[in-house]
Amino acid sequence: MSTTATIAVGSYSRSGSGRGSGLELLHLTQGDGAEAGEGTALTVRRGPTVELPDPSFVLWSADGSLLYAVLETDPTRVVAVRVAPDGSTAELVADLALEGSGGCHLAPGRTAGTLLVADYGSGTVETVRLDADGVPVELIDVDHHRDLGEDGTPHPHQVSALPGTDSLAVPDLGLDRVFLYRQDAEGQMGLVGEIPLHRGSGPRHLAADHESEQLHISCELSGMIATAVRRPSEHEPDTPPALRGSSHRWSVRSVIPGSRTEGVNALSHLELTADESMLLVANRGPDTLSALSLTMMRPEITSEISVGAHPRHFTQLGQLVLVAAQEGDRIDVLRRDGDELSVAADPIPAPSVACLAVRP
């Protein structure tokens, strides 16, 4: 018996700054035992494409009917594409221009019916309202990071809800901090705290466990992984809830290299495995993917494998790891077996590939 997954691929485009088409759907079929290295090899069938300039991050709606993308343009644009149940068609249904520029990440808001966008270029975080069908219709909030640091230029690079808390985290590569926000019932964002990192760290992405007891932060400029641990915040008992900061605080416990290879390493994406026993990290410079065990007091690299040039992003599909190698023009297909990584199949051609998302 075979199983097929649909993968959304965003790439820097010929109409923008790269060599790709923009958005493309891939249908990846695995035979029995393929994830474990047995049985039928993986096969790839190419689906529809949507020509768009530089979609730098993609996100499926919860039901998989819509694909959202943020375009790294000036101004930033958020688009929605309606995808047929069988993945045979993809139709652009919304294209909303925002106020910021250089959009690089988007995520669902904590308030229902909102999307949150990180703008690397303008140093802003923007909130978009969705209509009843999940289509982006209106910009409702813009938060500027330009006044949050005396040194450095703000570059928000991700927005991520922290499980087990009411907070959203925004790593800012230019200000060497992770800013913490809370979103109100109307969708407005309010700053409630921060996690400071060493100067020159350049926090890019983070991965939180299921209760956000630990946050693992990829630091692009230093090539290090910072791990922050959580503790409760203390509030005066008579402080109104609206005036309280974050209900939790985090402090950095360890900082370790993301790769065993010496030299410059511009870390990009990182993710926990489903069982939260391992952390996967993409290394640009060494051009590798690292697997780190989380069973010790601090993460420890157990496996590191070469991939295509400039691995910008990756996603997981069961035991498979699909790596977007932007300058290698390919998607590497790896397998994770416990704490070891290996090659599962030949790379999939994908010009200027920037990001990947598995359809739910």
Side-chain angles (χ1 to χ4, degrees):
M1 180 180 177
S2 62
T3 58
T4 299
T6 297
I7 314 297
V9 179
S11 60
Y12 287 100
S13 60
R14 294 181 293 270
S15 60
S17 60
R19 300 170 295 280
S21 59
L23 291 178
E24 182 181 14
L25 298 181
L26 298 179
H27 306 295
L28 183 64
T29 301
Q30 309 173 60
D32 271 347
E35 285 190 8
E38 305 168 354
T40 307
L42 302 176
T43 58
V44 178
R45 179 170 54 87
R46 294 192 176 271
T49 62
V50 180
E51 298 282 341
L52 289 167
D54 296 346
S56 56
F57 202 82
V58 292
L59 171 72
W60 289 98
S61 62
D63 65 0
S65 64
L66 288 173
L67 177 65
Y68 303 109
V70 60
L71 309 186
E72 197 171 303
T73 51
D74 185 6
T76 294
R77 289 155 56 192
V78 171
V79 303
V81 173
R82 192 173 304 282
V83 179
D86 63 357
S88 60
T89 62
E91 176 190 6
L92 185 68
V93 294
D95 186 343
L96 179 67
L98 307 185
E99 289 186 9
S101 64
C104 61
H105 193 270
L106 79 168
R110 284 199 177 277
T111 301
T114 60
L115 281 178
L116 306 176
V117 177
D119 296 311
Y120 184 91
S122 57
T124 49
V125 179
E126 304 188 84
T127 306
V128 173
R129 184 174 65 83
L130 308 177
D131 68 14
D133 296 320
V135 174
V137 291
E138 181 185 11
L139 174 66
I140 61 172
D141 190 26
V142 181
D143 291 88
H144 295 271
H145 281 195
R146 61 183 174 228
D147 298 324
L148 298 181
E150 297 179 359
D151 299 317
T153 301
H155 291 306
H157 216 302
Q158 183 194 37
V159 184
S160 179
L162 298 183
T165 79
D166 58 1
S167 298
L168 292 138
V170 179
D172 192 306
L173 185 146
L175 300 182
D176 294 321
R177 279 176 276 177
V178 176
F179 291 103
L180 304 173
Y181 284 88
R182 181 183 296 130
Q183 193 176 23
D184 67 20
E186 285 72 42
Q188 303 293 305
M189 296 275 280
L191 189 65
V192 293
E194 63 180 56
I195 306 170
L197 296 160
H198 292 124
R199 178 173 293 188
S201 296
R204 177 185 175 100
H205 279 194
L206 62 79
D209 63 29
H210 70 287
E211 288 295 329
S212 298
E213 296 290 349
Q214 294 190 79
L215 308 180
H216 305 284
I217 306 161
S218 65
C219 297
E220 177 178 336
L221 301 184
S222 66
M224 308 295 278
I225 302 165
T227 297
V229 294
R230 189 179 88 175
R231 64 184 187 275
S233 290
E234 296 180 359
H235 300 292
E236 293 296 329
D238 56 350
T239 303
L243 299 180
R244 296 176 186 173
S246 174
S247 57
H248 297 87
R249 293 182 294 169
W250 287 263
S251 57
V252 175
R253 181 175 68 185
S254 68
V255 180
I256 66 164
S259 171
R260 291 169 172 160
T261 304
E262 295 184 2
V264 175
N265 179 14
L267 290 183
S268 58
H269 187 57
L270 77 174
E271 282 185 14
L272 292 166
T273 57
D275 63 3
E276 299 185 353
S277 66
M278 303 291 296
L279 181 69
L280 304 177
V281 182
N283 303 294
R284 295 174 300 175
D287 294 337
T288 62
L289 190 79
S290 297
L292 295 88
S293 172
L294 300 179
T295 60
M296 308 297 286
M297 284 295 293
R298 63 181 188 173
E300 179 179 344
I301 297 175
T302 59
S303 181
E304 186 171 359
I305 190 170
S306 294
V307 295
H310 208 77
R312 179 183 173 89
H313 188 251
F314 63 86
T315 192
Q316 299 177 70
L317 177 61
Q319 295 302 108
L320 298 181
V321 186
L322 309 177
V323 184
Q326 180 183 341
E327 297 304 321
D329 292 335
R330 73 192 211 188
I331 300 169
D332 286 83
V333 184
L334 308 179
R335 178 181 300 108
R336 184 181 69 86
D337 184 8
D339 59 4
E340 294 296 321
L341 297 169
S342 61
V343 175
D346 291 338
I348 303 166
S352 298
V353 58
C355 52
L356 305 165
V358 179
R359 189 179 195 177

